């Protein structure tokens, strides 16, 4: 399936995916800033996700993908660093305010570890915000934001087509190269594995301090990305060359949906005045 219609659909979905991934980190960065804490998100989740982004970056370079894809991979890695910086900064800030600042052997401030998360602080600081805004209202608000982002992606595709309307384009030649394939599968495994520590942490924190929108945009970004690959062609060679990216995107969606189920469950339990474990 290589008709022009499929190529156009693939392009639209690809631009939509890019739009989602550009903003995916923003809701959690804002959530951390408002709570002055990054303890709602598992630091292992961020580390493993960052490792996946780095593997994706090197895979894109080795595969000779478009410069825009490589630039996006660098952008994702930068956002991972920003998220980690927030987490450690707020840990250091809390440690410096609540007690004597203990320095380690290298002279760095000692901060709480992932094994002893500041769950109570996250829950208490976000309690007023959660009770005044239901999960359904959040869903509607962020659903509207998602529609805007997807629309922006579609418009970006249209503008790109208009700007390059007189320039002939040849589809990139796909090469099944083992180094990029290995990195692609490593990246897929890391993206999947990153969700596990976050899901486990949610059992403790009841999703306090975690951005609902992070997973909304992640689901949308992964779904449109996988569909863009399939819309381009269903040729076995094309599917094989993109198998790792399809697996990483498609399977991650199911884990992100589970996180959304956790959100809905704990918010509903809170509304009923009970907070039993999932």
């Amino acid at each position: 399936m290589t008709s022009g219609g499929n190529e156009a659909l693939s392009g639209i979905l690809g631009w939509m995916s890019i739009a989602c991934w550009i903003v995916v980190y923003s809701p959690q960065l804002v959530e951390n800033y408002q709570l002055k804490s990054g303890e709602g998100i598992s630091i292992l989740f961020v580390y493993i996700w960052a490792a996946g982004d780095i593997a994706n970056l090197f895979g894109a370079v080795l595969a000779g993908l478009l410069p825009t894809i490589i630039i996006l991979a660098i952008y994702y890695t930068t956002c991972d660093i920003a998220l980690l910086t927030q987490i450690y900064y707020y840990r250091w800030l809390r440690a410096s305010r609540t007690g004597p600042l203990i320095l380690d052997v290298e002279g760095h401030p000692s901060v709480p570890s992932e094994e002893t998360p500041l769950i109570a602080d996250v829950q208490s600081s976000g309690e007023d915000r959660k009770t005044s805004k239901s999960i359904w209202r959040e869903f509607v608000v962020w659903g509207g934001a998602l529609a805007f982002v997807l629309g922006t992606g579609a418009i970006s595709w249209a503008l790109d087509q208009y700007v390059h309307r007189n320039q002939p384009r040849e589809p990139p030649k796909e090469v099944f190269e083992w180094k990029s394939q290995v990195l692609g599968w490593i990246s897929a495994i890391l993206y999947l594995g990153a969700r596990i520590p976050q899901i486990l942490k949610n059992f403790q924190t009841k999703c306090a301090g975690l951005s609902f929108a992070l997973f909304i945009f992640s689901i949308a970004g992964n779904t449109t990305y996988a569909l863009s690959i399939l819309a381009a062609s269903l040729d076995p060679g094309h599917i094989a060359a993109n198998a790792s990216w399809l697996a990483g995107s498609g399977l991650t969606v199911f884990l992100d949906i589970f996180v959304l189920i956790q959100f809905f469950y704990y918010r509903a339990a809170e509304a009923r005045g009970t907070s039993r474990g999932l």
Side-chain angles (χ1 to χ4, degrees), residues 114-175:
E114 174 73 8
E115 288 72 21
T116 57
L118 308 176
I119 298 172
D121 287 353
V122 176
Q123 290 176 332
S124 61
S125 59
E127 184 176 356
D128 293 338
R129 295 175 59 239
K130 290 201 308 179
T131 54
S132 63
K133 185 166 61 175
S134 70
I135 189 68
W136 290 107
R137 182 181 174 188
E138 285 189 70
F139 187 81
V140 171
V141 170
W142 286 113
L146 175 61
F148 175 79
V149 170
L150 292 176
T152 301
I155 293 172
S156 299
W157 172 84
L159 290 174
D160 177 68
Q161 293 296 305
Y162 177 78
V163 170
H164 299 92
R165 63 189 181 280
N166 296 323
Q167 299 178 16
R169 293 188 179 186
E170 293 184 6
K173 184 178 180 181
E174 291 182 322
V175 179

Side-chain angles (χ1 to χ4, degrees), residues 246-264:
L246 281 169
S249 297
L251 296 177
T252 299
V253 167
F254 291 101
L255 294 180
D256 286 343
I257 289 175
F258 185 81
V259 173
L260 293 187
I261 293 172
Q262 287 183 308
F263 266 101
F264 278 99

Side-chain angles (χ1 to χ4, degrees), residues 1-204:
M1 297 176 65
T2 58
S3 65
N6 286 327
E7 291 177 4
L9 178 59
S10 176
I12 293 171
L13 290 168
W15 276 96
M16 286 181 172
S17 178
I18 290 172
C20 288
W21 288 118
I22 286 176
V23 302
V24 71
Y25 296 90
S26 302
Q28 188 62 52
L29 290 169
V30 172
E31 182 85 6
N32 292 346
Y33 174 77
Q34 291 176 334
L35 296 176
K36 298 297 184 288
S37 172
E39 298 306 321
I41 189 167
S42 169
I43 198 167
L44 289 177
F45 172 38
V46 183
Y47 271 124
I48 299 173
W49 198 351
D53 284 335
I54 293 172
N56 182 47
L57 170 60
F58 281 101
V61 172
L62 288 175
L65 300 184
L66 294 174
T68 51
I69 297 177
I70 296 175
I71 291 172
L72 280 171
I74 295 173
Y75 168 76
Y76 302 150
T77 304
T78 303
C79 288
D80 294 328
I81 295 172
L83 204 52
L84 288 170
T85 300
Q86 262 194 329
I87 294 172
Y88 281 111
Y89 170 74
Y90 287 127
R91 286 185 176 185
W92 172 83
L93 193 63
R94 180 183 182 275
S96 65
R97 288 177 176 176
T98 58
L101 192 60
I102 302 174
L103 302 180
D104 60 20
V105 292
E106 297 180 355
H108 298 144
S110 177
V111 296
S113 67
E114 174 73 8
E115 288 72 21
T116 57
L118 308 176
I119 298 172
D121 287 353
V122 176
Q123 290 176 332
S124 61
S125 59
E127 184 176 356
D128 293 338
R129 295 175 59 239
K130 290 201 308 179
T131 54
S132 63
K133 185 166 61 175
S134 70
I135 189 68
W136 290 107
R137 182 181 174 188
E138 285 189 70
F139 187 81
V140 171
V141 170
W142 286 113
L146 175 61
F148 175 79
V149 170
L150 292 176
T152 301
I155 293 172
S156 299
W157 172 84
L159 290 174
D160 177 68
Q161 293 296 305
Y162 177 78
V163 170
H164 299 92
R165 63 189 181 280
N166 296 323
Q167 299 178 16
R169 293 188 179 186
E170 293 184 6
K173 184 178 180 181
E174 291 182 322
V175 179
F176 194 90
E177 196 272 327
W178 72 270
K179 291 181 181 179
S180 61
Q181 288 295 317
V182 168
L183 286 171
W185 282 107
I186 291 175
S187 177
I189 293 171
L190 289 171
Y191 285 144
L192 285 169
R195 269 60 179 180
I196 303 303
Q198 185 61 58
I199 288 173
L200 295 177
K201 187 181 184 73
N202 291 344
F203 289 130
Q204 296 177 302

